[in-house]
Amino acid sequence: MPRRPLRLRTAEADAEVRAGLDRIRAEFSVPGPFPPAALAEAARAAAPPDGRADLREVPFFTLDPPGSLDLDQAMHLERRGSGHRVRYAIADVAGFVRPGGALDAEAHARGVTLYLPDANAPLHPRRLSEGTASLLPGRDRPAVAWTIDVDAAGRITGVDVRRAVVRSRARLDYATARHDDGDPRIALLGEVGERLIAAEAARGGVSLPLPEQEVAHADGGWALKLRGDLATEAWNAQISLLTGRAAARLMLAGGVGLLRTMPPAPAEAVARLRLAARALGVAWPADASYGDIVRALDPAVPRHAAFLHDAAGLMRGAGYTAFDGAAPGQAAHAAVAAPYAHVTAPIRRLADRYATEVCLALAAGRPVPGWVREALPRLPEAMQRALRRAADVDHACVDLVEALLLREHVGEVFDAVVVDVSADRSGGRVQLVAPPVFGRCEGADLPLGEQVKVRLEEADPARRRVRFSRTE
């Protein structure tokens, strides 16, 4: 059965991918060039005035995907007794964007940075997002500096946030950090990250270990790969989650803010997942939560992969909740198992600029700025709209490259794992062993979690659709 990686290499294939990506841009109204007025504001924007804490001697470093230039966060970690001190410097985008100006209006229209395989559509002009606002190494940069102390159990014991000037020492990426076992910064990140992961589990939180499909353009061609399964990414994510939890605490204590929330999974959904576990042979003791089960599974095992895809269905209903006065009834994020806010990616996500300004004001005992308070009620809907578009664009890009990769292989048989079965058992979804393609599969009584052989029946780049049938 075909297991070799498939790659599009010819100039004709490259042109087809780019033409397909252009169609996706048009279909989902991906923003193009910035209006002249917004570009003019970005060109005039200068570093915010003095009066900041000087943290340039702190050896911050950034950790991002390879090639990233829009660097929102830089960190410095140190041991303090039996716990740790986490310093997290966040790009101070509010220092460059004038409320109510042309650049602000364009950011509200965009909501988030959209990432496509050939180019991104940034939330802010590159002059800011990859230049004066980005925490590039060796440059003095205005930042919002969080200092968070955690104890040996990963619990927050102290929080401070203020404006500062910082200078990152190094730009690390996930791929190189994984292979650099001798870097004490990564070793300490692993130490802190594992403590925070254990604390998340103790709270009842859960992070699904499902790698994501990603379109890659390298070595003269296009291919699909799976990403998201590196320990460094999980540790880095925990630092961001820690800061988001600290921000939510400030907001709830101050009675104003913008939370990222998600309700608990309905009991009937958990009951259905227990039935799926039984069908797949995944042990689920009566006193264990689904988070306990998920953490023990390996997505490389077919039955585990199928269960994890089912478990993803419990993580629905995430949104933004603005409040000014009484705390909202639903203040927690079920996957985090705590109140949580987005504050760590203001270059790439609009809401973070506003949530950060709330935290700065509350921490300093000042009133929240009027321009922030006025915008808070409108942000949940704007952000949900932007995030839906981002998800649609991501899926469309993957679907396009899947269809193009497989177009010349219609009629061939592949090894695959059944990851979902339709309610009427007339078909389902499969994941090929190689390349990492998901697709609709026809055939009665597909064995959930089992490896099967499937024939490729259709690969249509114009419709961005791939379809299989079971051959045995």
Side-chain angles (χ1 to χ4, degrees), residues 30-120:
V30 173
F34 282 82
L39 291 174
E41 281 191 18
R44 292 193 299 269
D50 294 334
R52 296 167 170 266
D54 188 346
L55 299 182
R56 286 175 293 182
E57 295 305 312
V58 177
F60 287 102
F61 67 94
T62 60
L63 180 60
D64 293 274
S68 297
L69 293 174
D70 51 349
L71 309 182
D72 288 288
Q73 315 109 2
M75 75 180 81
H76 175 260
L77 311 170
E78 61 180 292
R79 297 184 184 91
R80 290 179 65 85
S82 61
H84 294 88
R85 169 161 287 182
V86 175
R87 287 191 174 98
Y88 211 33
I90 308 300
D92 190 0
V93 175
F96 295 94
V97 179
R98 179 173 60 85
L103 185 54
D104 186 33
E106 185 65 17
H108 275 263
R110 294 177 179 234
V112 296
T113 293
L114 298 176
Y115 292 93
L116 286 85
D118 57 344
N120 63 16

XYZ file of all heavy atoms in Angstrom, residues 30-120:
673
model
N -10.224 37.154 2.436
C -8.974 37.365 3.172
C -8.472 38.769 2.867
O -8.337 39.148 1.700
C -7.926 36.314 2.765
C -6.573 36.633 3.383
C -8.399 34.919 3.177
N -8.192 39.570 3.884
C -7.770 40.952 3.634
C -6.481 41.025 2.812
O -5.568 40.210 2.975
C -7.552 41.524 5.038
C -8.366 40.650 5.938
C -8.312 39.284 5.324
N -6.435 42.019 1.937
C -5.258 42.257 1.120
C -4.424 43.392 1.690
O -4.259 43.493 2.907
N -3.915 44.262 0.834
C -3.077 45.372 1.314
C -3.841 46.288 2.265
O -5.063 46.422 2.187
C -2.697 46.105 0.016
C -2.857 45.098 -1.061
C -3.993 44.217 -0.637
N -3.100 46.925 3.153
C -3.704 47.864 4.092
C -4.059 49.165 3.377
O -3.363 49.576 2.435
C -2.743 48.165 5.238
C -2.680 47.076 6.262
C -1.879 45.965 6.052
C -3.413 47.163 7.437
C -1.814 44.949 6.995
C -3.358 46.161 8.384
C -2.555 45.044 8.162
N -5.132 49.833 3.807
C -5.475 51.138 3.232
C -4.342 52.145 3.452
O -3.611 52.045 4.449
C -6.735 51.550 4.012
C -7.269 50.292 4.605
C -6.085 49.399 4.839
N -4.178 53.093 2.552
C -3.090 54.080 2.690
C -3.092 54.795 4.038
O -2.021 55.047 4.610
C -3.355 55.048 1.536
C -4.074 54.228 0.511
C -4.918 53.269 1.284
N -4.276 55.126 4.558
C -4.322 55.847 5.834
C -3.761 54.990 6.968
O -3.066 55.501 7.859
C -5.752 56.272 6.143
N -4.047 53.686 6.949
C -3.516 52.804 7.988
C -2.003 52.667 7.851
O -1.274 52.660 8.853
C -4.190 51.435 7.907
N -1.520 52.546 6.623
C -0.076 52.450 6.404
C 0.627 53.728 6.845
O 1.727 53.683 7.412
C 0.213 52.174 4.932
C -0.197 50.783 4.418
C 0.001 50.691 2.906
C 0.597 49.692 5.126
N -0.015 54.858 6.589
C 0.590 56.138 6.993
C 0.697 56.223 8.511
O 1.711 56.687 9.053
C -0.237 57.296 6.445
N -0.347 55.765 9.223
C -0.282 55.767 10.686
C 0.829 54.848 11.186
O 1.559 55.186 12.120
C -1.617 55.337 11.282
C -2.657 56.428 11.305
C -3.863 56.044 12.149
O -3.751 55.099 12.971
O -4.912 56.688 12.003
N 0.955 53.665 10.554
C 2.002 52.735 10.966
C 3.383 53.338 10.738
O 4.303 53.136 11.536
C 1.861 51.421 10.206
N 3.533 54.079 9.647
C 4.824 54.699 9.354
C 5.168 55.788 10.362
O 6.345 55.996 10.687
C 4.806 55.275 7.939
N 4.148 56.475 10.870
C 4.382 57.561 11.829
C 4.541 57.050 13.252
O 5.078 57.752 14.117
C 3.223 58.558 11.796
C 3.123 59.364 10.508
C 2.168 60.538 10.696
N 0.822 60.115 11.031
C -0.136 59.877 10.147
N 0.110 60.006 8.843
N -1.335 59.507 10.546
N 4.041 55.847 13.510
C 4.058 55.322 14.879
C 5.487 55.174 15.370
O 6.347 54.616 14.680
C 3.337 53.979 14.938
N 5.739 55.660 16.546
C 7.077 55.589 17.133
C 7.005 54.862 18.462
O 5.919 54.632 19.010
C 7.639 56.998 17.319
N 8.153 54.503 18.975
C 8.189 53.836 20.268
C 7.526 54.717 21.317
O 7.726 55.935 21.325
C 9.624 53.536 20.660
N 6.734 54.143 22.188
C 6.064 54.925 23.233
C 7.060 55.667 24.121
O 8.247 55.317 24.165
C 5.291 53.865 24.017
C 5.130 52.731 23.067
C 6.356 52.733 22.224
N 6.627 56.696 24.820
C 7.544 57.521 25.616
C 8.154 56.759 26.782
O 7.760 55.641 27.107
C 6.640 58.660 26.105
C 5.255 58.107 26.039
C 5.238 57.177 24.865
N 9.134 57.442 27.410
C 9.835 56.834 28.539
C 8.894 56.705 29.743
O 7.707 56.984 29.660
C 11.054 57.671 28.906
C 12.093 57.653 27.795
O 12.099 56.668 27.047
O 12.877 58.616 27.698
N 9.476 56.352 30.903
C 8.669 56.152 32.097
C 8.363 54.693 32.328
O 7.532 54.347 33.171
N 9.032 53.825 31.604
C 8.812 52.390 31.729
C 9.887 51.767 32.614
O 10.985 52.304 32.742
C 8.881 51.720 30.349
C 7.792 52.159 29.398
C 8.096 51.716 27.970
N 6.910 51.956 27.149
C 5.976 51.050 26.906
N 6.110 49.832 27.383
N 4.924 51.355 26.183
N 9.554 50.595 33.155
C 10.571 49.826 33.863
C 11.633 49.376 32.857
O 11.312 48.961 31.745
C 9.929 48.618 34.528
N 12.886 49.478 33.230
C 13.978 49.089 32.341
C 14.372 47.645 32.645
O 15.020 47.361 33.658
C 15.170 50.027 32.536
C 16.267 49.794 31.494
O 16.216 48.749 30.808
O 17.161 50.647 31.377
N 13.967 46.731 31.763
C 14.272 45.308 31.945
C 15.219 44.803 30.863
O 15.263 43.610 30.566
C 12.975 44.480 31.935
C 11.951 44.789 33.031
C 10.753 43.860 32.905
C 12.569 44.685 34.412
N 15.998 45.693 30.298
C 16.875 45.297 29.201
C 18.001 44.357 29.640
O 18.580 43.658 28.811
C 17.457 46.537 28.521
C 16.449 47.265 27.652
C 17.006 48.549 27.079
N 17.244 49.538 28.137
C 17.696 50.767 27.913
N 17.967 51.148 26.671
N 17.867 51.614 28.918
N 18.287 44.322 30.930
C 19.333 43.418 31.410
C 18.808 42.006 31.643
O 19.593 41.073 31.849
C 19.940 43.958 32.707
C 20.681 45.279 32.531
C 21.752 45.186 31.464
O 22.540 44.212 31.492
O 21.803 46.079 30.586
N 17.497 41.830 31.611
C 16.927 40.486 31.769
C 17.113 39.733 30.445
O 16.686 40.213 29.396
C 15.432 40.552 32.135
C 14.839 39.150 32.224
C 15.246 41.308 33.448
N 17.734 38.564 30.451
C 18.016 37.843 29.199
C 16.792 37.096 28.657
O 16.722 35.856 28.660
C 19.142 36.878 29.586
C 18.937 36.620 31.037
C 18.394 37.904 31.621
N 15.827 37.853 28.157
C 14.646 37.252 27.542
C 15.040 36.503 26.268
O 16.034 36.838 25.603
C 13.627 38.340 27.174
C 12.895 38.944 28.338
C 13.258 40.200 28.831
C 11.850 38.283 28.940
C 12.588 40.768 29.890
C 11.161 38.839 30.005
C 11.534 40.095 30.490
N 14.214 35.510 25.892
C 14.346 34.851 24.599
C 12.958 34.534 24.068
O 11.984 34.463 24.832
C 15.188 33.566 24.699
C 14.542 32.456 25.492
C 13.782 31.469 24.873
C 14.695 32.392 26.877
C 13.188 30.449 25.606
C 14.103 31.376 27.621
C 13.354 30.398 26.984
N 12.840 34.389 22.755
C 11.574 34.030 22.127
C 11.635 32.588 21.639
O 12.712 32.063 21.353
C 11.239 34.968 20.955
O 12.272 34.883 19.963
C 11.113 36.412 21.423
N 10.480 31.950 21.545
C 10.378 30.571 21.066
C 9.125 30.481 20.202
O 8.007 30.627 20.705
C 10.301 29.600 22.252
C 10.187 28.110 21.925
C 11.386 27.634 21.125
C 10.045 27.284 23.199
N 9.318 30.268 18.911
C 8.218 30.324 17.949
C 8.448 29.312 16.832
O 9.516 28.691 16.758
C 8.133 31.736 17.338
C 7.715 32.785 18.341
O 6.503 32.962 18.528
O 8.603 33.411 18.957
N 7.469 29.145 15.927
C 7.707 28.311 14.754
C 8.876 28.849 13.926
O 9.150 30.046 13.937
C 6.383 28.414 13.977
C 5.365 28.753 15.009
C 6.078 29.636 15.990
N 9.578 27.983 13.206
C 10.712 28.439 12.390
C 10.301 29.534 11.407
O 9.239 29.460 10.786
C 11.140 27.173 11.644
C 10.681 26.045 12.509
C 9.401 26.519 13.141
N 11.122 30.561 11.294
C 10.888 31.630 10.334
C 9.972 32.732 10.802
O 9.786 33.720 10.089
N 9.389 32.618 11.985
C 8.449 33.639 12.459
C 9.168 34.960 12.702
O 10.261 34.996 13.257
C 7.772 33.192 13.751
O 6.993 32.042 13.553
N 8.499 36.053 12.316
C 9.008 37.391 12.570
C 8.049 38.220 13.414
O 8.442 39.235 13.986
C 9.290 38.115 11.251
C 10.438 37.553 10.408
C 10.506 38.274 9.063
C 11.765 37.666 11.139
N 6.776 37.824 13.463
C 5.797 38.554 14.278
C 5.825 37.978 15.698
O 4.974 37.187 16.090
C 4.400 38.484 13.652
C 3.960 37.064 13.299
O 4.803 36.134 13.335
O 2.774 36.879 12.989
N 6.797 38.421 16.467
C 7.107 37.816 17.765
C 6.409 38.574 18.880
O 6.823 39.660 19.270
C 8.620 37.804 17.977
C 9.454 37.209 16.826
C 10.930 37.219 17.175
C 8.988 35.800 16.477
N 5.340 37.988 19.411
C 4.543 38.604 20.471
C 5.174 38.470 21.841
O 4.982 39.331 22.693
C 3.162 37.940 20.558
C 2.248 38.296 19.418
O 1.782 39.433 19.390
O 1.995 37.432 18.562
N 5.852 37.336 22.104
C 6.227 37.006 23.474
C 7.715 36.706 23.594
O 8.318 36.110 22.692
C 5.459 35.766 23.958
C 3.997 35.758 23.638
C 3.651 34.732 22.572
O 4.494 34.007 22.093
N 2.378 34.695 22.185
N 8.285 37.103 24.712
C 9.642 36.698 25.093
C 9.606 36.328 26.568
O 8.862 36.921 27.343
C 10.641 37.830 24.847
N 10.385 35.340 26.945
C 10.312 34.851 28.329
C 11.676 34.790 28.994
O 12.722 34.735 28.332
C 9.652 33.472 28.363
C 10.526 32.336 27.891
S 9.672 30.736 27.965
C 8.718 30.822 26.441
N 11.643 34.798 30.298
C 12.816 34.508 31.115
C 12.321 33.753 32.332
O 11.334 34.143 32.968
C 13.531 35.788 31.559
C 14.669 35.516 32.492
N 14.563 35.670 33.873
C 15.924 35.071 32.260
C 15.712 35.330 34.430
N 16.555 34.980 33.489
N 12.992 32.657 32.654
C 12.574 31.787 33.749
C 13.716 31.637 34.742
O 14.887 31.585 34.353
C 12.190 30.403 33.211
C 11.229 30.385 32.009
C 11.128 28.980 31.433
C 9.863 30.890 32.416
N 13.351 31.538 36.008
C 14.371 31.298 37.031
C 13.759 30.539 38.195
O 12.561 30.633 38.474
C 14.991 32.602 37.518
C 14.014 33.560 38.163
C 14.692 34.841 38.636
O 15.491 34.759 39.592
O 14.415 35.899 38.045
N 14.586 29.778 38.872
C 14.133 29.078 40.077
C 14.137 30.050 41.250
O 15.038 30.873 41.384
C 15.039 27.894 40.380
C 15.031 26.827 39.295
C 15.887 25.632 39.698
N 15.947 24.655 38.615
C 16.882 24.656 37.671
N 17.835 25.587 37.685
N 16.873 23.748 36.728
N 13.121 29.927 42.093
C 13.033 30.739 43.313
C 12.566 29.807 44.432
O 11.386 29.467 44.519
C 12.060 31.904 43.147
C 12.588 32.982 42.197
C 11.587 34.103 42.037
N 11.366 34.841 43.261
C 12.128 35.861 43.685
N 13.175 36.240 42.967
N 11.853 36.495 44.802
N 13.546 29.373 45.255
C 13.216 28.399 46.284
C 12.754 27.104 45.646
O 13.398 26.573 44.743
N 11.613 26.618 46.090
C 11.069 25.388 45.506
C 10.171 25.665 44.298
O 9.667 24.727 43.683
C 10.272 24.620 46.568
O 9.181 25.412 47.037
N 9.985 26.947 43.979
C 9.133 27.315 42.852
C 9.921 28.005 41.755
O 11.131 27.812 41.607
N 9.207 28.807 40.966
C 9.822 29.488 39.834
C 9.256 30.903 39.698
O 8.124 31.175 40.121
C 9.559 28.737 38.525
C 10.205 27.391 38.455
N 9.582 26.260 38.933
C 11.417 27.002 37.974
C 10.381 25.217 38.738
N 11.495 25.636 38.154
N 10.048 31.769 39.095
C 9.565 33.075 38.661
C 9.542 33.079 37.127
O 10.559 32.779 36.491
C 10.426 34.206 39.192
C 10.115 35.566 38.561
C 10.629 36.724 39.393
N 9.794 36.899 40.593
C 9.983 37.856 41.488
N 10.998 38.714 41.342
N 9.182 37.962 42.545
N 8.402 33.417 36.574
C 8.225 33.493 35.122
C 8.096 34.962 34.750
O 7.180 35.645 35.223
C 6.969 32.719 34.678
C 6.737 32.902 33.177
C 7.095 31.240 35.022
N 9.002 35.436 33.941
C 8.856 36.762 33.344
C 8.444 36.568 31.900
O 9.083 35.829 31.156
C 10.162 37.551 33.432
C 10.507 38.057 34.827
C 11.662 39.052 34.733
N 11.951 39.671 36.016
C 12.924 39.265 36.825
N 13.691 38.237 36.482
N 13.149 39.889 37.972
N 7.362 37.246 31.515
C 6.813 37.090 30.165
C 6.590 38.481 29.600
O 5.719 39.225 30.075
C 5.507 36.314 30.238
C 5.187 35.456 29.037
C 6.181 34.830 28.298
C 3.862 35.239 28.668
C 5.874 34.020 27.226
C 3.541 34.425 27.590
C 4.551 33.815 26.876
O 4.246 33.010 25.811
N 7.384 38.845 28.622
C 7.268 40.156 27.986
C 6.402 40.018 26.743
O 6.662 39.171 25.887
C 8.649 40.681 27.607
N 5.375 40.863 26.657
C 4.417 40.824 25.548
C 4.532 42.127 24.758
O 4.599 43.216 25.345
C 2.974 40.654 26.076
C 2.881 39.463 27.041
C 2.004 40.496 24.913
C 3.268 38.131 26.450
N 4.552 42.018 23.447
C 4.659 43.203 22.590
C 3.587 44.222 22.970
O 2.407 43.879 23.098
C 4.514 42.803 21.124
N 3.988 45.480 23.125
C 3.056 46.537 23.550
C 2.451 47.212 22.321
O 2.796 48.335 21.967
C 3.797 47.551 24.420
C 2.834 48.523 25.097
O 1.605 48.399 24.891
O 3.310 49.416 25.818
N 1.530 46.525 21.696
C 0.926 47.029 20.455
C 0.127 48.301 20.701
O 0.081 49.199 19.854
C 0.044 45.932 19.829
C -0.689 46.462 18.600
C 0.902 44.728 19.444
N -0.491 48.413 21.883
C -1.292 49.607 22.171
C -0.439 50.866 22.143
O -0.972 51.968 21.936
C -1.977 49.466 23.524
N 0.856 50.735 22.338
C 1.719 51.887 22.263
C 1.903 52.434 20.863
O 2.362 53.566 20.687
N 1.535 51.638 19.856
C 1.724 52.041 18.462
C 0.408 52.350 17.733
O 0.427 52.934 16.653
C 2.441 50.933 17.685
C 3.838 50.663 18.149
C 4.094 49.664 19.082
C 4.905 51.399 17.662
C 5.385 49.404 19.507
C 6.202 51.142 18.078
C 6.444 50.145 19.014
N -0.717 51.895 18.282
C -2.002 52.022 17.590
C -2.866 53.062 18.306
O -3.193 52.900 19.488
C -2.736 50.666 17.537
C -4.082 50.819 16.827
C -1.871 49.628 16.816
N -3.252 54.099 17.594
C -4.070 55.164 18.179
C -5.534 54.744 18.192
O -6.094 54.412 17.147
C -3.915 56.456 17.371
C -4.755 57.626 17.875
C -4.405 58.896 17.124
N -4.637 58.766 15.702
C -5.823 58.972 15.120
N -6.887 59.289 15.857
N -5.959 58.859 13.819
N -6.179 54.708 19.362
C -7.599 54.336 19.421
C -8.437 55.233 18.524
O -8.308 56.456 18.542
C -7.960 54.538 20.901
C -6.662 54.413 21.625
C -5.627 54.985 20.708
N -9.301 54.609 17.714
C -10.183 55.355 16.824
C -9.546 55.783 15.520
O -10.227 56.358 14.661
N -8.264 55.487 15.309
C -7.586 55.869 14.082
C -7.810 54.864 12.968
O -8.499 53.844 13.129
N -7.208 55.137 11.819
C -7.378 54.273 10.653
C -6.778 52.888 10.892
O -7.340 51.868 10.468
C -6.741 54.929 9.437
N -5.644 52.834 11.563
C -5.003 51.550 11.845
C -5.832 50.723 12.813
O -5.997 49.506 12.649
C -3.602 51.807 12.401
C -2.703 50.598 12.648
C -2.580 49.740 11.409
C -1.339 51.064 13.129
N -6.404 51.380 13.799
C -7.283 50.707 14.756
C -8.515 50.147 14.051
O -8.916 48.998 14.280
C -7.678 51.705 15.843
C -8.476 51.066 16.965
O -8.226 49.892 17.277
O -9.353 51.734 17.524
N -9.108 50.942 13.171
C -10.301 50.496 12.443
C -9.991 49.283 11.574
O -10.781 48.331 11.499
C -10.850 51.635 11.588
N -8.836 49.292 10.921
C -8.474 48.160 10.073
C -8.218 46.909 10.910
O -8.587 45.795 10.505
C -7.244 48.512 9.245
C -6.831 47.457 8.233
C -7.851 47.234 7.121
O -8.740 48.104 6.939
O -7.770 46.195 6.444
N -7.620 47.073 12.078
C -7.400 45.923 12.956
C -8.729 45.321 13.406
O -8.874 44.094 13.491
C -6.556 46.336 14.165
N -9.715 46.176 13.676
C -11.034 45.663 14.065
C -11.678 44.907 12.912
O -12.389 43.914 13.126
C -11.927 46.813 14.525
C -11.734 47.174 15.962
N -12.554 46.712 16.963
C -10.793 47.943 16.573
C -12.137 47.176 18.127
N -11.069 47.933 17.924
N -11.481 45.350 11.695
C -12.058 44.664 10.545
C -11.399 43.299 10.320
O -12.051 42.354 9.872
C -11.906 45.524 9.290
N -10.115 43.187 10.631
C -9.379 41.938 10.401
C -9.521 40.959 11.565
O -9.717 39.764 11.359
C -7.896 42.247 10.140
C -7.678 43.022 8.848
C -6.226 43.403 8.614
N -6.086 44.114 7.350
C -5.247 43.775 6.372
N -4.458 42.728 6.511
N -5.212 44.474 5.253
N -9.355 41.429 12.773
C -9.551 40.587 13.959
C -8.347 39.762 14.342
O -7.933 39.757 15.498
N -7.801 39.008 13.396
C -6.648 38.142 13.654
C -5.764 38.125 12.417
O -6.198 38.476 11.318
C -7.059 36.686 13.992
C -7.860 36.613 15.281
C -7.832 36.056 12.846
N -4.540 37.695 12.600
C -3.673 37.397 11.456
C -4.108 36.070 10.858
O -4.323 35.092 11.589
C -2.198 37.313 11.903
O -1.769 38.610 12.317
C -1.304 36.844 10.765
N -4.245 36.037 9.548
C -4.586 34.809 8.838
C -3.312 34.252 8.202
O -2.606 34.965 7.494
C -5.634 35.073 7.761
C -6.987 35.592 8.254
C -7.896 35.907 7.076
C -7.655 34.579 9.172
N -3.056 32.971 8.467
C -1.844 32.335 7.950
C -2.200 31.385 6.813
O -2.923 30.414 7.005
C -1.133 31.577 9.073
C -0.548 32.493 10.119
C -1.279 32.826 11.258
C 0.719 33.040 9.961
C -0.748 33.681 12.219
C 1.250 33.901 10.919
C 0.515 34.214 12.038
O 1.031 35.067 12.985
N -1.685 31.681 5.623
C -1.807 30.804 4.476
C -0.423 30.268 4.149
O 0.589 30.866 4.543
C -2.409 31.534 3.275
C -3.924 31.810 3.370
C -4.194 33.093 4.138
C -4.558 31.887 1.983
N -0.328 29.159 3.427
C 0.983 28.549 3.206
C 1.970 29.423 2.444
O 3.182 29.272 2.627
C 0.646 27.295 2.387
C -0.770 26.993 2.709
C -1.429 28.316 2.915
N 1.479 30.330 1.592
C 2.405 31.142 0.797
C 2.639 32.527 1.385
O 3.676 33.149 1.120
C 1.905 31.268 -0.645
C 0.510 31.853 -0.734
O -0.206 31.888 0.291
O 0.108 32.273 -1.845
N 1.725 33.030 2.176
C 1.876 34.356 2.785
C 0.772 34.547 3.812
O -0.316 33.979 3.679
C 1.799 35.454 1.726
N 1.048 35.355 4.834
C 0.001 35.627 5.809
C -0.679 36.956 5.496
O -0.186 37.771 4.716
C 0.544 35.601 7.241
C 1.582 36.683 7.517
O 1.716 37.646 6.772
N 2.312 36.520 8.595
